[in-house]
Structure formats: C-alpha cells, structure tokens
Amino acid sequence: MAKRTYRAAGVDIDAGNSLVEAIKPLARATARAGVVGGLGGFGAVFDLKAAGFRDPLLVSATDGVGTKLKVAIAAGRHDTVGIDLVAMCVNDLVVQGAEPLYFLDYYAVGRLDPAAGRAIVAGIAEGCRRAGCALVGGETAEMPGLYGEGDYDLAGFAVGAVEREALIDGSDVRAGHRLLGLASSGLHSNGFSLVRRVVADLGLDYAEPAPFEPARSLAEALLEPTRIYVMPCLEAIRLGGVHALAHITGGGLPENLPRVLPPGLAAEIDTTAWPRPPVFDWLAEAGEVPADDLYRTFNAGIGMVLVVAPEAEAAVRSLLERAGETVHALGAVAPRGEGPAVRLQGGAR
C-alpha cells in the first residue's frame, strides 16, 4: 500500500518554504525604525521607543480584500490585491491619527502556487512601502479541500501608534466644520459581489476593453488598487485643524461619516461637488444600480473625508494637493435635527 504523505494529501511544504525565501527580500525592503529582527521567528517584535514615541497608544485594524479576489483569480492578475489588503487596514488607522508601524498578512490557498504567492506578497510589500509601515510577518496556509483549485483568500492586520494627546476621535467636531473629500482611485475594495453580478449579467469578459475605460481591460480597470492616504493625512493632522477623518469603505458616505460625528450633528454633502469616476456611472447606467444603493455600497469617488475647522481649510487643502491628492470641498457639518446623519444633496446622478 502506498505511503500517505502530506504532499500526496495536497500540501507541499517545500513550496511553502520556497515562498518564504522568495519574500524575505520584499519584507526587508519595508524595514523601518522600531523593527527588531526579521522574518522567521514565531512572533514579530517592535520597539516603540526606537520608533520615536513617548506616550503612545496602540491602534489596530484588520480587514481583507473581499470578492475583488475573484476578479484577480479570473484574470490571473495577482500583483495589486496585496496593495488593497494593506490599504484597507492602514487607511482605518490614520483616521484616529495613528501612524502605521507594522503589518502582518494571512494568505490561505487550496494549492500553493509560489509565483502567484510572490506576486501577492510583492503587492503587500508595495502597500507597506506606500504607508510607511514594515511587513514583519504573516502566515501562508495551504488547505486543499477547503479552497477550490486556484482560489485563495487574504486577510491583513496592521498596528499603528499615536501619542496619547494626539488621538483623534471626532469629539471636537462642531457645526460649521468643513468636509474635504479625497478622490478615490476607483472602486477600492468594496461592493465587488454586486460588480461581479453586473459583469455576469451583461455577459462581459474580463479580458475585453472596459466599457467605461476602453484603454484598459475590464480586469485591469476593476483591479485598480485602493488608494493609500496615510502619508498626506498624517501631514494634514500635524498641520492642525483636522478634527476627524472617515475612511469611505463599504456603506459609503451615508454609513461611514456618522461614525466620526458627535450626537446631534450631521454632514451635509453636495453630490455635484466632485466628478464621479466613470466606473460608477457605468454601474448606475449599464448595471441599473439605483442611486441610493450606489452611495451605500461604493465610495462613489471619495475615498477619505477630513473634517476641518473653517480657518484651517485652505491650508489643509493646499497641503493635501501638494502631496498629490485630488481634494473636493464636499460641504459642512450642521445640526442634525430630525434628519439623517448624512444628507446627500444635489440630486441623484
């Protein structure tokens, strides 16, 4: 009778070891002050004092990429979803004023493909580089029978720090504060179950030109990675006058902005204040996604909102634009009264 080995059961330890060796230089390239040691240990060590903090609070976030991975798998393009993974975590950290320090990933797959794995981790390393944090470790889990052929999932975990007196929690927001929106790079990493349904219902091929951006394939356009706002937002916070930030993810503006507004206040937003990227108009028109669902499912072109004191608005906006962000004046904070916490004005588009 044949011997029952782990490899015969579908798990290739040698392939896993090969992937670890391949990604070590990627991780080393993200090193920053505070990192102690490198990959290979049972746990990652970080020295907050060496990173320059005096009285820090730790802020942590975890997230995934969601069913956007199904588009990457269908198209055989794995080099950008790692950026998405980092972005979804570190953009959550910066809204509380935290500087991302280090990141760990969890990569689960049915059968390990070292080339695809390296492309994924290269994207994670690039995301960490953009956010200024270190990739200090992770876990690769090969689980045949749990994931289908070619399928995989990603989860990320980020830790940041903020000096105690600099923590941002939205408690200082007042009526009259201004709302500055930073343009998104596209869909980011939310709503892809709906996007994939639209693609399937319209009978589209991911390899064909995107209906809303013919210069790129549909896959390339949909896989545009989530924008990482960390560096410009940290600069804006240090400048002063920023009283809250909201990362616009699943739930859109109506669900995410209320999370940083004190009771009794509302955000009044003019939806004509920014040009909505073509992918959202395509979803609304060709996909027949109603306006209410569009704004509650997607970012609709705004990936981050800063709540800024009126006297600081011009300086914060100028700083953000010099840092490469596209900034839109969305509206202002107002007394809530009996209405919703977010009022989208300007009519459906």
Side-chain angles (χ1 to χ4, degrees):
M1 189 170 106
K3 299 289 186 182
R4 293 187 176 92
T5 65
Y6 210 14
R7 184 190 292 268
V11 179
D12 189 341
I13 293 176
D14 291 335
N17 291 336
S18 173
L19 177 59
V20 170
E21 290 304 313
I23 66 179
K24 280 183 177 179
L26 298 173
R28 281 196 296 270
T30 68
R32 54 153 294 156
V35 173
V36 178
L39 292 183
F42 286 94
V45 180
F46 194 91
D47 184 342
L48 286 166
K49 187 175 181 180
F53 288 90
R54 297 174 290 99
D55 185 21
L57 297 172
L58 292 179
V59 183
S60 57
T62 185
D63 211 332
V65 183
T67 59
K68 187 174 187 176
L69 293 177
K70 296 292 286 184
V71 179
I73 292 165
R77 299 179 62 99
H78 311 289
D79 55 334
T80 60
V81 289
I83 300 174
D84 288 296
L85 184 66
V86 176
M88 296 302 286
C89 296
V90 297
N91 284 341
D92 278 355
L93 295 184
V94 77
V95 302
Q96 292 177 277
E99 174 187 341
L101 301 176
Y102 59 88
F103 188 87
L104 298 101
D105 68 273
Y106 176 74
Y107 169 38
V109 61
R111 182 175 62 82
L112 186 59
D113 177 345
R118 190 190 184 284
I120 290 166
V121 178
I124 294 172
E126 173 60 19
C128 288
R129 188 193 63 78
R130 295 182 187 184
C133 67
L135 176 59
V136 295
E139 171 70 8
T140 300
E142 191 173 15
M143 296 185 284
L146 187 59
Y147 293 92
E149 183 68 23
D151 282 343
Y152 63 86
D153 196 11
L154 294 174
F157 181 78
V159 173
V162 57
E163 296 291 0
R164 189 178 301 271
E165 70 274 10
L167 180 70
I168 297 175
D169 60 8
S171 60
D172 293 333
V173 172
R174 299 289 183 266
H177 281 174
R178 307 296 296 170
L179 303 172
L180 295 180
L182 305 187
S184 69
S185 55
L187 293 167
H188 286 186
S189 298
N190 297 104
F192 271 84
S193 293
L194 178 55
V195 172
R196 292 187 302 108
R197 174 62 62 87
V198 170
V199 170
D201 288 349
L202 295 177
L204 301 178
D205 188 320
Y206 287 118
E208 295 174 350
F212 52 89
E213 194 178 344
R216 297 203 288 177
S217 70
L218 180 58
E220 186 180 4
L222 293 178
L223 289 172
E224 179 68 32
T226 305
R227 190 165 181 82
I228 293 176
Y229 301 101
V230 168
M231 297 300 193
C233 285
L234 286 175
E235 288 186 41
I237 291 166
R238 294 185 192 110
L239 181 67
V242 177
H243 293 281
L245 303 92
H247 182 202
I248 309 305
T249 54
L253 290 162
E255 299 292 336
N256 286 289
L257 260 176
R259 298 167 66 181
V260 300
L261 297 178
L265 295 179
E268 294 185 337
I269 294 176
D270 178 5
T271 58
T272 67
W274 72 95
R276 203 165 65 189
V279 63
F280 299 106
D281 290 332
W282 170 72
L283 286 166
E285 296 162 11
E288 299 182 332
V289 177
D292 286 350
D293 208 58
L294 190 81
Y295 281 98
R296 290 178 66 90
T297 303
F298 304 104
N299 64 61
I302 299 295
M304 182 74 75
V305 176
L306 289 79
V307 184
V308 181
E311 63 273 16
E313 180 181 5
V316 169
R317 179 169 188 159
S318 177
L319 181 152
L320 290 167
E321 289 175 341
R322 290 197 306 272
E325 298 300 326
T326 301
V327 186
H328 303 287
L330 305 182
V333 177
R336 179 169 179 176
E338 299 298 320
V342 174
R343 302 167 189 161
L344 298 178
Q345 303 166 339
R349 293 191 291 149

